[in-house]
Amino acid sequence: MISIPDTPGPVLSVHGVDKTFTMHLQSGQRLPVLRGLTFDVGRGECVVLAGESGAGKSSVLKMVFGSYRVEAGSIMLDGADGPVDLATASPREVLAARRDTIGYVSQFLRAVPRVPALQVVAEPLVARGVPREEAHERAAGLLSRLSIPGRLWALPPATFSGGEQQRVNIARGFITGHQLLLLDEPTASLDARNRETVVELIRAELDRGVGMLAIFHDADVREAVADRVVDVEAFAPQLALVAP
Amino acid sequence: MTIEAVQVPANTQASYPRIEYNEAYLDEQTKRVIRRALLKAVAVPGFQVPFASREVPMPRGWGTGGVQVTASVVGPDDVLKVIDQGADDTTNAVSIRQFFAKVASCTTTTRTDEASVIQTRHRIPEKPLSQNQTMVYQVPTPEPLRWLEPRESETRRLHALGDYGLMYVKLYEDIARYGHIAKTYDYPVVVNGRYMMAPSPIPSFDNPKLHRSPALHLFGAGREKRIYAVPPYTDVVSIDFEDFGFEPQKFSTPCAICGSVGVYMDEVVVDDSGRSIFVCSDTDHCERTAGGQEPEPAPPCCAVATVQGTSAAQDASDVGAHDDTSVHLVQHPARLAVGQPAKTTEGPLLSVTDAGHRYGQRFGCRGVGFDLWPGEVLAVVGESGSGKSTLLGMLSQRLSTDTGSVRYRTEPDKLVSLTDLSEREVRTLWRTHWGFVHQDAADGLRMHVSAGGNIGEPLMANGWRHYGKIRAKATEWLEKVEIPVDRIDDAPATFSGGMRQRLQIARNLVVGPRLVFMDEPTSGLDVSVQARLLDLIRSLVAELGLAVVVVTHDLAVARLISHRTLVMKDGEVVESGLTDRVLDDPQAAYTQLLVSSILQG
């Protein structure tokens, strides 16, 4: 488990971030999504992004994770290797931040076909140099906790139901205990009991001092864990469409 | 026509014009040419010297090379003996002996001890040779690597670089198939610690006689136009493995005529029922022993020397000895701990700046720049014709770098421009630091060499000379790439496409390279096989800490195995960055087109 440094500042500080999509295939139409997005995520704090579908909540997570380009502004991460601006970081720095600082539970599990679930979950630990047996042990613990039966561990998650896939994805995101965790609707397709387990997991991580940036459509879960809500729509640009 | 024929006026009794030939048939100019080739051959033992092979009055393949060499060295004081597989009385031996008796002023003999020049086809006489004797061998195929490598240009390069791993593949295959080295004639030797040589097809029984022989040995291949030599007292070592040593043939029954033992035998069928006897192949020896004139002890077969690690050791010393400007490459850990991750270096392994390759006036690719670090996988994507393969060819030094630079880290603190390296150094890199996985496994494998031999070849090229260890390593790698171990002795020609590709990967990774190029490694395979292969590549890359450049037109492949992606169009990089960023948030119009047209669902 990664220890959380006892530094005062926020783990993530987003400041003045703009995002526009340019659709070259639609004759270069520009679709501005966010203007001047600014918020912090403190250690042990759970910040929930709110807004209508299409407001750009997932885009915010993806910019923080590095899968989306940031046009303007800064995304300062107080990472394991010191502060880094993810808006301008080189690919190597982003990869290092993902390995050492940021965990991500995406909306959909994307894994190499054929790789067993246990290995999928253990992989982020192995990438950090944890011995394979130990990583598998921890993965097994998490999967049991999320009530994935042991007989499924050796199967590739592609064959699982939606809910099972989502739980594998959650286990994969939580296993490393990274300082910052991005959650994109982790409980969307879970039943009440598993939702409860996830809430427990989230609470435990928050108590350890992990910062979280999350999207929850489920009001119960949101109320159970959110410390603060950031309304993404407040940062929507004035003009919906800008001519090229 | 090179014959200097002097037509004598028909004033004698014959009605035919009598032709008198120049001494020993060849004209003096031709003899000089051949003697020059011989001098060079003696100066560089075992090296095949090309020469202008002339017409002689017998067909190519009937000893024309030997005849030309004999004609150039034989003089009035010489005594010539000619043998054919040890015998003085076969057609070929008799006609060549009579030929020289007619056109040269030397005398002829059948006695080994009397002869000063012995022309031979495929044998060395039993009687030990002495200092003032010269052996002349008729050679059909002078190139020892010929049956393994068909291209003459390539075999010459292998000789020049002392790159003889291939030769050991042949021995490996023998042991894998028969349990011992089955080659019994034309057994390859290393001469003077440098050149691999085919000792003409003499039986391996005769090989030890060449080692430090007091006689001069000259080899002439008339059809192939090559001359080579072993000077007196030169080391001639039959190649072998540490655990499977060279063993010359042995014969248990004594000669049926003279009773000799420890000599080379011919089997002679004596009646219609197929009964056979064994007799001495050396007729002179047999006659003299049977006549009681010379009760000979068995000739010494003790000088069996073996060679290990010749090519690699020679290689290293050659770089230092002949190439002052050479870059001394890192002694790769391959030989000590093959398969271990290469030591990670500080800084990028490959650094490309504004590099381009031109086909005539057109650029195949240009303005390419990136750094590749150990453990990183870089995907190059784009449609066909976008310059992906040109880029790969340029990076791997198959195509020239016409603009910009491609630099590689040969040592922890040394980035070397690849264009500054000599061919030898680039080949050393290929042997130890780099791998290349071809789209078509047939381009990257020897299709008719066993799976074990295919994986073993890079090891043997790096100086591995222990059959058991090579085989153990090959087994280990077959398991790693999930090929059933019981297929180790099957040729990849019998493998499925997916298995071939996995075998190719094993062959490339077995020496623990640091940088691997892959050209569409999964296209041409069906989807289920693709997924397995991608998973394999991914786990091996992570496990071994490899840097990989993978060219693919399949964005799904790029997403699954690469960290970063370059998108190419019309020879230029239109977008680059983290793979998921390039694919999830493409900026360039072309990338958006690619992503939207391929990644549906």
Side-chain angles (χ1 to χ4, degrees), chain A residues 19 22 24-25 66-67 69 91-92 94 98 110 112 114 123, chain B residues 373 376 532 535 538 559 564 578 580-581 585 587 589 592 596:
Chain A
K19 180 69 195 167
T22 307
H24 290 289
L25 302 184
S67 334
R69 201 173 80 102
R92 283 180 54 75
V94 175
R98 287 180 189 176
R110 197 177 248 150
V112 182
R114 207 180 73 101
E123 198 193 298
Chain B
W373 295 61
E376 265 188 348
R532 246 179 112 183
D535 177 35
R538 225 172 61 106
R559 187 187 283 281
R564 286 190 294 140
L578 279 173
D580 55 341
R581 189 181 296 187
D585 188 16
Q587 303 296 314
Q592 291 189 354
S596 67

PDB file of all heavy atoms in Angstrom, chain A residues 19 22 24-25 66-67 69 91-92 94 98 110 112 114 123, chain B residues 373 376 532 535 538 559 564 578 580-581 585 587 589 592 596:
ATOM      1  N   LYS A  19     -11.264  23.367 -22.484  1.00  0.00           N
ATOM      2  CA  LYS A  19     -11.276  22.188 -23.375  1.00  0.00           C
ATOM      3  C   LYS A  19     -12.260  22.435 -24.508  1.00  0.00           C
ATOM      4  O   LYS A  19     -13.415  22.776 -24.287  1.00  0.00           O
ATOM      5  CB  LYS A  19     -11.696  20.942 -22.572  1.00  0.00           C
ATOM      6  CG  LYS A  19     -11.735  19.669 -23.403  1.00  0.00           C
ATOM      7  CD  LYS A  19     -10.347  19.244 -23.824  1.00  0.00           C
ATOM      8  CE  LYS A  19     -10.396  18.198 -24.938  1.00  0.00           C
ATOM      9  NZ  LYS A  19      -9.060  18.016 -25.542  1.00  0.00           N
ATOM     10  N   THR A  22     -12.338  19.802 -31.556  1.00  0.00           N
ATOM     11  CA  THR A  22     -12.422  20.231 -32.949  1.00  0.00           C
ATOM     12  C   THR A  22     -12.749  19.013 -33.800  1.00  0.00           C
ATOM     13  O   THR A  22     -12.020  18.026 -33.783  1.00  0.00           O
ATOM     14  CB  THR A  22     -11.080  20.833 -33.416  1.00  0.00           C
ATOM     15  OG1 THR A  22     -10.710  21.846 -32.484  1.00  0.00           O
ATOM     16  CG2 THR A  22     -11.196  21.411 -34.800  1.00  0.00           C
ATOM     17  N   HIS A  24     -12.722  17.663 -37.081  1.00  0.00           N
ATOM     18  CA  HIS A  24     -12.232  17.869 -38.445  1.00  0.00           C
ATOM     19  C   HIS A  24     -13.127  17.178 -39.457  1.00  0.00           C
ATOM     20  O   HIS A  24     -13.199  17.600 -40.601  1.00  0.00           O
ATOM     21  CB  HIS A  24     -10.805  17.344 -38.564  1.00  0.00           C
ATOM     22  CG  HIS A  24      -9.819  18.175 -37.817  1.00  0.00           C
ATOM     23  ND1 HIS A  24      -9.459  19.427 -38.228  1.00  0.00           N
ATOM     24  CD2 HIS A  24      -9.124  17.944 -36.679  1.00  0.00           C
ATOM     25  CE1 HIS A  24      -8.579  19.940 -37.386  1.00  0.00           C
ATOM     26  NE2 HIS A  24      -8.364  19.045 -36.422  1.00  0.00           N
ATOM     27  N   LEU A  25     -13.794  16.124 -39.023  1.00  0.00           N
ATOM     28  CA  LEU A  25     -14.612  15.380 -39.984  1.00  0.00           C
ATOM     29  C   LEU A  25     -15.937  16.086 -40.229  1.00  0.00           C
ATOM     30  O   LEU A  25     -16.627  15.802 -41.196  1.00  0.00           O
ATOM     31  CB  LEU A  25     -14.850  13.949 -39.481  1.00  0.00           C
ATOM     32  CG  LEU A  25     -13.572  13.164 -39.231  1.00  0.00           C
ATOM     33  CD1 LEU A  25     -13.894  11.741 -38.825  1.00  0.00           C
ATOM     34  CD2 LEU A  25     -12.676  13.163 -40.460  1.00  0.00           C
ATOM     35  N   GLY A  66      -4.826  12.201 -18.223  1.00  0.00           N
ATOM     36  CA  GLY A  66      -3.884  12.381 -19.336  1.00  0.00           C
ATOM     37  C   GLY A  66      -4.369  11.832 -20.655  1.00  0.00           C
ATOM     38  O   GLY A  66      -3.669  11.928 -21.657  1.00  0.00           O
ATOM     39  N   SER A  67      -5.570  11.240 -20.690  1.00  0.00           N
ATOM     40  CA  SER A  67      -6.030  10.709 -21.978  1.00  0.00           C
ATOM     41  C   SER A  67      -6.578  11.802 -22.881  1.00  0.00           C
ATOM     42  O   SER A  67      -6.755  11.571 -24.062  1.00  0.00           O
ATOM     43  CB  SER A  67      -7.128   9.670 -21.828  1.00  0.00           C
ATOM     44  OG  SER A  67      -7.086   9.051 -20.635  1.00  0.00           O
ATOM     45  N   ARG A  69      -6.231  15.887 -24.111  1.00  0.00           N
ATOM     46  CA  ARG A  69      -5.317  17.012 -24.141  1.00  0.00           C
ATOM     47  C   ARG A  69      -5.955  18.209 -23.431  1.00  0.00           C
ATOM     48  O   ARG A  69      -7.168  18.414 -23.501  1.00  0.00           O
ATOM     49  CB  ARG A  69      -5.029  17.382 -25.584  1.00  0.00           C
ATOM     50  CG  ARG A  69      -3.764  18.166 -25.806  1.00  0.00           C
ATOM     51  CD  ARG A  69      -3.530  18.302 -27.299  1.00  0.00           C
ATOM     52  NE  ARG A  69      -4.361  19.381 -27.830  1.00  0.00           N
ATOM     53  CZ  ARG A  69      -3.883  20.594 -28.110  1.00  0.00           C
ATOM     54  NH1 ARG A  69      -2.609  20.864 -27.924  1.00  0.00           N
ATOM     55  NH2 ARG A  69      -4.673  21.524 -28.581  1.00  0.00           N
ATOM     56  N   PRO A  91       4.812  12.600 -22.223  1.00  0.00           N
ATOM     57  CA  PRO A  91       4.209  11.269 -22.079  1.00  0.00           C
ATOM     58  C   PRO A  91       4.859  10.441 -20.976  1.00  0.00           C
ATOM     59  O   PRO A  91       4.177   9.751 -20.236  1.00  0.00           O
ATOM     60  CB  PRO A  91       4.442  10.637 -23.452  1.00  0.00           C
ATOM     61  CG  PRO A  91       4.500  11.781 -24.400  1.00  0.00           C
ATOM     62  CD  PRO A  91       5.112  12.911 -23.626  1.00  0.00           C
ATOM     63  N   ARG A  92       6.180  10.530 -20.863  1.00  0.00           N
ATOM     64  CA  ARG A  92       6.860   9.735 -19.827  1.00  0.00           C
ATOM     65  C   ARG A  92       6.436  10.150 -18.430  1.00  0.00           C
ATOM     66  O   ARG A  92       6.278   9.317 -17.544  1.00  0.00           O
ATOM     67  CB  ARG A  92       8.372   9.900 -19.950  1.00  0.00           C
ATOM     68  CG  ARG A  92       8.968   9.114 -21.073  1.00  0.00           C
ATOM     69  CD  ARG A  92      10.470   9.320 -21.123  1.00  0.00           C
ATOM     70  NE  ARG A  92      11.099   9.023 -19.847  1.00  0.00           N
ATOM     71  CZ  ARG A  92      11.296   7.795 -19.383  1.00  0.00           C
ATOM     72  NH1 ARG A  92      10.911   6.776 -20.097  1.00  0.00           N
ATOM     73  NH2 ARG A  92      11.874   7.592 -18.214  1.00  0.00           N
ATOM     74  N   VAL A  94       3.578  11.553 -17.627  1.00  0.00           N
ATOM     75  CA  VAL A  94       2.199  11.109 -17.416  1.00  0.00           C
ATOM     76  C   VAL A  94       2.181   9.630 -17.057  1.00  0.00           C
ATOM     77  O   VAL A  94       1.486   9.206 -16.128  1.00  0.00           O
ATOM     78  CB  VAL A  94       1.336  11.380 -18.674  1.00  0.00           C
ATOM     79  CG1 VAL A  94      -0.058  10.789 -18.484  1.00  0.00           C
ATOM     80  CG2 VAL A  94       1.267  12.861 -18.968  1.00  0.00           C
ATOM     81  N   ARG A  98       0.801   7.929 -13.634  1.00  0.00           N
ATOM     82  CA  ARG A  98      -0.201   6.860 -13.599  1.00  0.00           C
ATOM     83  C   ARG A  98       0.297   5.666 -12.803  1.00  0.00           C
ATOM     84  O   ARG A  98      -0.467   4.998 -12.127  1.00  0.00           O
ATOM     85  CB  ARG A  98      -0.531   6.404 -15.015  1.00  0.00           C
ATOM     86  CG  ARG A  98      -1.367   7.387 -15.779  1.00  0.00           C
ATOM     87  CD  ARG A  98      -1.631   6.831 -17.155  1.00  0.00           C
ATOM     88  NE  ARG A  98      -2.241   7.837 -17.987  1.00  0.00           N
ATOM     89  CZ  ARG A  98      -2.510   7.654 -19.267  1.00  0.00           C
ATOM     90  NH1 ARG A  98      -2.215   6.510 -19.840  1.00  0.00           N
ATOM     91  NH2 ARG A  98      -3.060   8.621 -19.975  1.00  0.00           N
ATOM     92  N   ARG A 110     -11.386  -1.928 -19.792  1.00  0.00           N
ATOM     93  CA  ARG A 110     -10.722  -2.181 -21.070  1.00  0.00           C
ATOM     94  C   ARG A 110      -9.484  -3.017 -20.767  1.00  0.00           C
ATOM     95  O   ARG A 110      -8.519  -2.525 -20.196  1.00  0.00           O
ATOM     96  CB  ARG A 110     -10.320  -0.866 -21.709  1.00  0.00           C
ATOM     97  CG  ARG A 110     -10.000  -0.996 -23.169  1.00  0.00           C
ATOM     98  CD  ARG A 110      -9.675   0.351 -23.768  1.00  0.00           C
ATOM     99  NE  ARG A 110     -10.667   0.814 -24.716  1.00  0.00           N
ATOM    100  CZ  ARG A 110     -10.938   2.083 -24.937  1.00  0.00           C
ATOM    101  NH1 ARG A 110     -10.338   3.013 -24.240  1.00  0.00           N
ATOM    102  NH2 ARG A 110     -11.821   2.431 -25.855  1.00  0.00           N
ATOM    103  N   VAL A 112      -6.787  -6.443 -22.013  1.00  0.00           N
ATOM    104  CA  VAL A 112      -6.343  -7.293 -23.113  1.00  0.00           C
ATOM    105  C   VAL A 112      -7.169  -8.575 -23.091  1.00  0.00           C
ATOM    106  O   VAL A 112      -7.356  -9.166 -22.032  1.00  0.00           O
ATOM    107  CB  VAL A 112      -4.852  -7.651 -22.952  1.00  0.00           C
ATOM    108  CG1 VAL A 112      -4.381  -8.499 -24.119  1.00  0.00           C
ATOM    109  CG2 VAL A 112      -4.033  -6.400 -22.834  1.00  0.00           C
ATOM    110  N   ARG A 114      -8.247 -12.350 -23.077  1.00  0.00           N
ATOM    111  CA  ARG A 114      -7.556 -13.573 -22.692  1.00  0.00           C
ATOM    112  C   ARG A 114      -6.802 -13.483 -21.374  1.00  0.00           C
ATOM    113  O   ARG A 114      -6.378 -14.493 -20.843  1.00  0.00           O
ATOM    114  CB  ARG A 114      -6.587 -14.020 -23.806  1.00  0.00           C
ATOM    115  CG  ARG A 114      -6.326 -15.512 -23.843  1.00  0.00           C
ATOM    116  CD  ARG A 114      -5.366 -15.819 -24.958  1.00  0.00           C
ATOM    117  NE  ARG A 114      -4.022 -15.405 -24.653  1.00  0.00           N
ATOM    118  CZ  ARG A 114      -3.053 -16.224 -24.249  1.00  0.00           C
ATOM    119  NH1 ARG A 114      -3.299 -17.493 -24.102  1.00  0.00           N
ATOM    120  NH2 ARG A 114      -1.846 -15.777 -24.018  1.00  0.00           N
ATOM    121  N   GLU A 123      -2.215  -6.356 -12.030  1.00  0.00           N
ATOM    122  CA  GLU A 123      -1.224  -5.749 -12.933  1.00  0.00           C
ATOM    123  C   GLU A 123      -0.643  -4.416 -12.459  1.00  0.00           C
ATOM    124  O   GLU A 123       0.572  -4.217 -12.525  1.00  0.00           O
ATOM    125  CB  GLU A 123      -1.844  -5.606 -14.324  1.00  0.00           C
ATOM    126  CG  GLU A 123      -0.795  -5.403 -15.389  1.00  0.00           C
ATOM    127  CD  GLU A 123      -1.430  -4.946 -16.684  1.00  0.00           C
ATOM    128  OE1 GLU A 123      -2.228  -5.711 -17.233  1.00  0.00           O
ATOM    129  OE2 GLU A 123      -1.144  -3.819 -17.110  1.00  0.00           O
TER     130      GLU A 123
ATOM    131  N   TRP B 373      12.660   5.066 -24.585  1.00  0.00           N
ATOM    132  CA  TRP B 373      13.352   4.665 -23.359  1.00  0.00           C
ATOM    133  C   TRP B 373      13.189   3.178 -23.140  1.00  0.00           C
ATOM    134  O   TRP B 373      12.243   2.572 -23.646  1.00  0.00           O
ATOM    135  CB  TRP B 373      12.784   5.443 -22.168  1.00  0.00           C
ATOM    136  CG  TRP B 373      13.022   6.913 -22.220  1.00  0.00           C
ATOM    137  CD1 TRP B 373      12.579   7.781 -23.178  1.00  0.00           C
ATOM    138  CD2 TRP B 373      13.758   7.704 -21.295  1.00  0.00           C
ATOM    139  NE1 TRP B 373      12.995   9.059 -22.900  1.00  0.00           N
ATOM    140  CE2 TRP B 373      13.713   9.043 -21.749  1.00  0.00           C
ATOM    141  CE3 TRP B 373      14.442   7.406 -20.123  1.00  0.00           C
ATOM    142  CZ2 TRP B 373      14.346  10.076 -21.061  1.00  0.00           C
ATOM    143  CZ3 TRP B 373      15.059   8.452 -19.438  1.00  0.00           C
ATOM    144  CH2 TRP B 373      15.023   9.776 -19.905  1.00  0.00           C
ATOM    145  N   GLU B 376       9.792   0.971 -22.926  1.00  0.00           N
ATOM    146  CA  GLU B 376       8.710   1.676 -23.619  1.00  0.00           C
ATOM    147  C   GLU B 376       8.359   1.009 -24.937  1.00  0.00           C
ATOM    148  O   GLU B 376       9.227   0.532 -25.658  1.00  0.00           O
ATOM    149  CB  GLU B 376       9.158   3.109 -23.935  1.00  0.00           C
ATOM    150  CG  GLU B 376       8.727   4.090 -22.911  1.00  0.00           C
ATOM    151  CD  GLU B 376       9.013   5.516 -23.366  1.00  0.00           C
ATOM    152  OE1 GLU B 376       9.747   5.724 -24.360  1.00  0.00           O
ATOM    153  OE2 GLU B 376       8.508   6.423 -22.738  1.00  0.00           O
ATOM    154  N   ARG B 532      -3.889 -13.666 -28.281  1.00  0.00           N
ATOM    155  CA  ARG B 532      -2.907 -14.430 -27.529  1.00  0.00           C
ATOM    156  C   ARG B 532      -1.503 -13.880 -27.741  1.00  0.00           C
ATOM    157  O   ARG B 532      -0.712 -13.743 -26.805  1.00  0.00           O
ATOM    158  CB  ARG B 532      -2.923 -15.868 -28.034  1.00  0.00           C
ATOM    159  CG  ARG B 532      -3.410 -16.845 -27.000  1.00  0.00           C
ATOM    160  CD  ARG B 532      -3.415 -18.209 -27.610  1.00  0.00           C
ATOM    161  NE  ARG B 532      -2.414 -19.035 -26.983  1.00  0.00           N
ATOM    162  CZ  ARG B 532      -2.169 -20.286 -27.369  1.00  0.00           C
ATOM    163  NH1 ARG B 532      -2.810 -20.810 -28.384  1.00  0.00           N
ATOM    164  NH2 ARG B 532      -1.260 -20.994 -26.757  1.00  0.00           N
ATOM    165  N   ASP B 535      -0.981 -10.507 -26.050  1.00  0.00           N
ATOM    166  CA  ASP B 535      -0.806 -10.681 -24.622  1.00  0.00           C
ATOM    167  C   ASP B 535       0.616 -11.156 -24.322  1.00  0.00           C
ATOM    168  O   ASP B 535       1.277 -10.677 -23.397  1.00  0.00           O
ATOM    169  CB  ASP B 535      -1.836 -11.694 -24.116  1.00  0.00           C
ATOM    170  CG  ASP B 535      -1.665 -11.967 -22.640  1.00  0.00           C
ATOM    171  OD1 ASP B 535      -1.314 -11.024 -21.917  1.00  0.00           O
ATOM    172  OD2 ASP B 535      -1.879 -13.116 -22.221  1.00  0.00           O
ATOM    173  N   ARG B 538       3.062  -8.309 -24.827  1.00  0.00           N
ATOM    174  CA  ARG B 538       2.938  -7.361 -23.739  1.00  0.00           C
ATOM    175  C   ARG B 538       3.639  -7.857 -22.476  1.00  0.00           C
ATOM    176  O   ARG B 538       4.377  -7.127 -21.825  1.00  0.00           O
ATOM    177  CB  ARG B 538       1.454  -7.153 -23.442  1.00  0.00           C
ATOM    178  CG  ARG B 538       1.033  -5.724 -23.255  1.00  0.00           C
ATOM    179  CD  ARG B 538      -0.466  -5.681 -23.170  1.00  0.00           C
ATOM    180  NE  ARG B 538      -0.903  -6.470 -22.038  1.00  0.00           N
ATOM    181  CZ  ARG B 538      -1.364  -5.938 -20.895  1.00  0.00           C
ATOM    182  NH1 ARG B 538      -1.449  -4.640 -20.791  1.00  0.00           N
ATOM    183  NH2 ARG B 538      -1.732  -6.702 -19.916  1.00  0.00           N
ATOM    184  N   ARG B 559      -3.281   0.273 -29.205  1.00  0.00           N
ATOM    185  CA  ARG B 559      -3.855   0.569 -27.896  1.00  0.00           C
ATOM    186  C   ARG B 559      -3.467  -0.495 -26.862  1.00  0.00           C
ATOM    187  O   ARG B 559      -3.157  -0.190 -25.727  1.00  0.00           O
ATOM    188  CB  ARG B 559      -5.377   0.665 -27.983  1.00  0.00           C
ATOM    189  CG  ARG B 559      -5.992   1.131 -26.673  1.00  0.00           C
ATOM    190  CD  ARG B 559      -7.493   1.072 -26.670  1.00  0.00           C
ATOM    191  NE  ARG B 559      -8.162   2.136 -27.389  1.00  0.00           N
ATOM    192  CZ  ARG B 559      -8.339   3.376 -26.914  1.00  0.00           C
ATOM    193  NH1 ARG B 559      -7.848   3.704 -25.749  1.00  0.00           N
ATOM    194  NH2 ARG B 559      -8.966   4.278 -27.620  1.00  0.00           N
ATOM    195  N   ARG B 564       3.163   4.786 -26.307  1.00  0.00           N
ATOM    196  CA  ARG B 564       3.078   5.999 -27.119  1.00  0.00           C
ATOM    197  C   ARG B 564       2.841   5.632 -28.574  1.00  0.00           C
ATOM    198  O   ARG B 564       3.176   4.539 -29.003  1.00  0.00           O
ATOM    199  CB  ARG B 564       4.374   6.811 -26.989  1.00  0.00           C
ATOM    200  CG  ARG B 564       4.467   7.501 -25.651  1.00  0.00           C
ATOM    201  CD  ARG B 564       5.597   8.465 -25.633  1.00  0.00           C
ATOM    202  NE  ARG B 564       6.878   7.790 -25.731  1.00  0.00           N
ATOM    203  CZ  ARG B 564       7.898   8.234 -26.451  1.00  0.00           C
ATOM    204  NH1 ARG B 564       7.794   9.346 -27.150  1.00  0.00           N
ATOM    205  NH2 ARG B 564       9.022   7.566 -26.474  1.00  0.00           N
ATOM    206  N   LEU B 578       0.966  10.117 -26.003  1.00  0.00           N
ATOM    207  CA  LEU B 578       0.461   8.946 -25.296  1.00  0.00           C
ATOM    208  C   LEU B 578      -0.564   8.235 -26.166  1.00  0.00           C
ATOM    209  O   LEU B 578      -1.416   8.875 -26.753  1.00  0.00           O
ATOM    210  CB  LEU B 578      -0.248   9.383 -24.020  1.00  0.00           C
ATOM    211  CG  LEU B 578       0.594   9.696 -22.809  1.00  0.00           C
ATOM    212  CD1 LEU B 578      -0.290  10.261 -21.730  1.00  0.00           C
ATOM    213  CD2 LEU B 578       1.288   8.441 -22.315  1.00  0.00           C
ATOM    214  N   ASP B 580      -3.229   6.448 -25.516  1.00  0.00           N
ATOM    215  CA  ASP B 580      -4.653   6.667 -25.247  1.00  0.00           C
ATOM    216  C   ASP B 580      -5.068   8.097 -25.555  1.00  0.00           C
ATOM    217  O   ASP B 580      -6.191   8.350 -25.942  1.00  0.00           O
ATOM    218  CB  ASP B 580      -5.033   6.235 -23.824  1.00  0.00           C
ATOM    219  CG  ASP B 580      -4.185   6.892 -22.767  1.00  0.00           C
ATOM    220  OD1 ASP B 580      -3.109   7.380 -23.129  1.00  0.00           O
ATOM    221  OD2 ASP B 580      -4.589   6.913 -21.598  1.00  0.00           O
ATOM    222  N   ARG B 581      -4.137   9.048 -25.424  1.00  0.00           N
ATOM    223  CA  ARG B 581      -4.510  10.413 -25.772  1.00  0.00           C
ATOM    224  C   ARG B 581      -4.678  10.554 -27.282  1.00  0.00           C
ATOM    225  O   ARG B 581      -5.616  11.200 -27.761  1.00  0.00           O
ATOM    226  CB  ARG B 581      -3.474  11.416 -25.262  1.00  0.00           C
ATOM    227  CG  ARG B 581      -3.960  12.834 -25.429  1.00  0.00           C
ATOM    228  CD  ARG B 581      -2.967  13.872 -24.970  1.00  0.00           C
ATOM    229  NE  ARG B 581      -2.697  13.790 -23.538  1.00  0.00           N
ATOM    230  CZ  ARG B 581      -1.956  14.701 -22.880  1.00  0.00           C
ATOM    231  NH1 ARG B 581      -1.433  15.711 -23.530  1.00  0.00           N
ATOM    232  NH2 ARG B 581      -1.740  14.557 -21.605  1.00  0.00           N
ATOM    233  N   ASP B 585      -8.449  11.323 -27.890  1.00  0.00           N
ATOM    234  CA  ASP B 585      -8.630  12.752 -28.127  1.00  0.00           C
ATOM    235  C   ASP B 585      -7.735  13.179 -29.283  1.00  0.00           C
ATOM    236  O   ASP B 585      -6.827  13.982 -29.129  1.00  0.00           O
ATOM    237  CB  ASP B 585      -8.269  13.523 -26.843  1.00  0.00           C
ATOM    238  CG  ASP B 585      -8.614  15.000 -26.944  1.00  0.00           C
ATOM    239  OD1 ASP B 585      -9.392  15.365 -27.848  1.00  0.00           O
ATOM    240  OD2 ASP B 585      -8.096  15.782 -26.129  1.00  0.00           O
ATOM    241  N   GLN B 587      -6.134  14.969 -32.331  1.00  0.00           N
ATOM    242  CA  GLN B 587      -6.157  16.388 -32.706  1.00  0.00           C
ATOM    243  C   GLN B 587      -6.117  16.567 -34.217  1.00  0.00           C
ATOM    244  O   GLN B 587      -6.828  17.384 -34.767  1.00  0.00           O
ATOM    245  CB  GLN B 587      -4.956  17.108 -32.075  1.00  0.00           C
ATOM    246  CG  GLN B 587      -4.890  16.983 -30.565  1.00  0.00           C
ATOM    247  CD  GLN B 587      -6.064  17.642 -29.877  1.00  0.00           C
ATOM    248  OE1 GLN B 587      -6.427  18.762 -30.214  1.00  0.00           O
ATOM    249  NE2 GLN B 587      -6.681  16.939 -28.943  1.00  0.00           N
ATOM    250  N   ALA B 589      -6.645  16.067 -38.154  1.00  0.00           N
ATOM    251  CA  ALA B 589      -7.795  15.628 -38.943  1.00  0.00           C
ATOM    252  C   ALA B 589      -7.617  14.178 -39.374  1.00  0.00           C
ATOM    253  O   ALA B 589      -8.536  13.368 -39.297  1.00  0.00           O
ATOM    254  CB  ALA B 589      -7.951  16.526 -40.165  1.00  0.00           C
ATOM    255  N   GLN B 592      -8.211  11.726 -36.573  1.00  0.00           N
ATOM    256  CA  GLN B 592      -9.644  11.604 -36.308  1.00  0.00           C
ATOM    257  C   GLN B 592     -10.300  10.691 -37.331  1.00  0.00           C
ATOM    258  O   GLN B 592     -11.160   9.872 -36.995  1.00  0.00           O
ATOM    259  CB  GLN B 592     -10.311  12.984 -36.320  1.00  0.00           C
ATOM    260  CG  GLN B 592      -9.871  13.831 -35.133  1.00  0.00           C
ATOM    261  CD  GLN B 592     -10.669  15.111 -34.999  1.00  0.00           C
ATOM    262  OE1 GLN B 592     -11.484  15.441 -35.847  1.00  0.00           O
ATOM    263  NE2 GLN B 592     -10.416  15.841 -33.925  1.00  0.00           N
ATOM    264  N   SER B 596     -12.031   7.276 -36.290  1.00  0.00           N
ATOM    265  CA  SER B 596     -13.468   7.114 -36.511  1.00  0.00           C
ATOM    266  C   SER B 596     -13.740   6.005 -37.511  1.00  0.00           C
ATOM    267  O   SER B 596     -14.779   5.360 -37.467  1.00  0.00           O
ATOM    268  CB  SER B 596     -14.070   8.419 -37.018  1.00  0.00           C
ATOM    269  OG  SER B 596     -13.556   8.696 -38.303  1.00  0.00           O
TER     270      SER B 596
END
